[in-house]
Amino acid sequence: MKKSFLRIASHITIAFIMFYGYLVAKGFNDWGKLSSFNPLLVPALSAGLFLSIHVHVFLHEGGHFIFGKLSGYRLISFQVRRYKYSHADHSLHHMQAASPLLAGQCLMAPPKGDYAELPYRSYLLGGIMANALTGTLLYSLAFWMELKTGSLFVLFSLVPVWMALANLLPKAQNDGALLREASRSLPARRLLFQQLEMAQLIEEKVPFADLPDAYFESINDAQYQKTFLVDYFYMVAYVRALGELDFEEADSLLQTFSANRPVKESVYWPVYMMESLFCDALFGRLVNAEEKYIQIQAHPLLKRYWIVNNRIRAAYAFFCLTDIEETKKLLGQGPATAQDSSKEMETSIELRLYRWLNSYFEH
């Protein structure tokens, strides 16, 4: 709470300094006129600022792409909100069930070579630099215009400036946090590069079972447990175990993850909560499942994940509540992503799990 307050206060302070500096530089001295501002403009300006966020998210990801290409990286996928371009099949997809936390993402595979020698700073900083340059350009142009128009440019320069700072200052797994983590040690950089390489294989629809075992060695290596970059490997290993219907291995991975890592600080905490409830339900840990269910219903973000995941809801209804009708209803609706079913989707891990759950009702 304290950190959130400080971030908000810093954003307001920056906005004040930028506006005050602009007005002083333009020789504005009739401060009484500020009170005559038309309040009817507030909704229009607010809507404009909100819409501009999408533009700057696109520019942010475009910055990653440009600086990544200059560093020898190869595009894997480019996503803004629910729209994702996949380089593997050169197609644009509308994501039916995108993460609520993901505004945009430009995934790129690193160049071949020794992990110790590969570049990473330009790629990670590309989005920040794109936002910073956009904000600087808008703010600079304001000084060449008359006061009213220039004030609008100052106002709209705030969004890219705020985005640049929000991504530069380390938080969760934003660009600043990734850069700081990768700069600390070679093991952390190795995990960063391996994560990008694995993302490329997954995007190319390589089956999870065929992912190289070498990528998962970090899970059992103590030197990698100090960095949040290992969290991704736990999640992929978990999905791979689910795909093989090896629920004991999947459950063991989640328990190891929670034992070795500060789960609540991980960006994968919502996924962990959902999937650990799934495993609790499967293995009859009813008290644990009920406690997690209560937590999920009380947390807005977790509840959003819960609502769109019929597989976990069906498992909870069947194994914990023994509500057969509700289970059949949820399984009948299918996964959210199945609305765009294709041959690849038919063989997906999620649908395999649905078939497994449905097998309890086959005669």
Side-chain angles (χ1 to χ4, degrees), residues 299-347:
H299 196 288
L301 176 62
L302 294 179
K303 194 170 182 178
R304 289 175 66 182
Y305 276 89
W306 173 264
I307 290 171
V308 300
N309 200 313
N310 291 334
R311 186 241 315 164
I312 295 176
R313 291 170 63 193
Y316 181 74
F318 183 56
F319 294 106
C320 297
L321 305 179
T322 59
D323 189 335
I324 305 301
E325 292 305 316
E326 179 66 11
T327 304
K328 289 182 177 179
K329 176 183 174 183
L330 291 166
L331 291 175
Q333 293 173 3
T337 52
Q339 297 175 38
D340 295 324
S341 59
S342 62
K343 290 183 178 179
E344 292 80 12
M345 188 64 69
E346 287 296 324
T347 58

Side-chain angles (χ1 to χ4, degrees), residues 13-213:
T13 302
I14 290 168
F16 175 80
I17 291 172
M18 290 175 66
F19 264 108
Y20 183 78
Y22 172 71
L23 293 174
V24 170
K26 296 292 285 186
F28 182 80
N29 53 21
D30 190 358
W31 302 99
K33 283 187 176 180
L34 295 178
S35 61
S36 63
F37 178 79
N38 187 351
L40 296 177
L41 292 175
V42 173
L45 291 175
S46 299
L49 287 172
F50 177 77
L51 292 174
S52 74
I53 292 174
H54 298 276
V55 175
H56 294 298
V57 169
F58 179 84
L59 292 175
H60 178 92
E61 302 308 332
H64 284 302
F65 173 74
I66 291 172
F67 285 95
K69 290 292 286 184
L70 292 174
S71 301
Y73 283 65
R74 305 177 307 282
L75 181 65
I76 300 172
S77 64
F78 189 99
Q79 181 175 347
V80 175
R81 297 298 181 184
R82 291 181 178 270
Y83 292 93
K84 175 181 175 182
Y85 171 78
S86 174
H87 185 69
D89 55 7
H90 302 286
S91 61
L92 183 66
H93 307 277
H94 180 256
M95 311 296 290
Q96 295 288 345
S99 169
L101 297 174
L102 186 64
Q105 187 178 59
C106 177
L107 286 176
M108 302 187 77
K112 302 294 183 182
D114 186 349
Y115 288 147
E117 304 297 330
L118 294 182
Y120 62 94
R121 289 186 176 87
S122 294
Y123 169 57
L124 294 178
L125 284 171
I128 296 171
M129 289 189 283
N131 289 143
L133 289 171
T134 304
T136 301
L137 177 61
L138 290 172
Y139 190 66
S140 300
L141 288 173
F143 290 88
W144 294 87
M145 300 176 180
E146 55 92 18
L147 189 64
K148 285 187 178 180
T149 305
S151 296
L152 288 176
F153 271 73
V154 173
L155 180 64
F156 282 92
S157 72
L158 294 177
V159 174
V161 169
W162 284 337
M163 285 185 65
L165 290 174
N167 282 282
L168 179 62
L169 300 176
K171 181 184 179 183
Q173 288 194 23
N174 68 357
D175 296 334
L178 286 170
L179 180 63
R180 181 181 65 180
E181 201 71 14
S183 301
R184 283 177 170 173
S185 66
L186 178 58
R189 288 199 295 280
R190 179 179 290 111
L191 289 182
L192 172 65
F193 296 133
Q194 288 184 341
Q195 179 175 335
L196 293 172
E197 290 171 352
M198 194 185 302
Q200 182 181 28
L201 294 175
I202 293 172
E203 193 66 29
E204 292 173 350
K205 296 182 173 59
V206 173
F208 278 77
D210 294 340
L211 295 174
D213 291 334

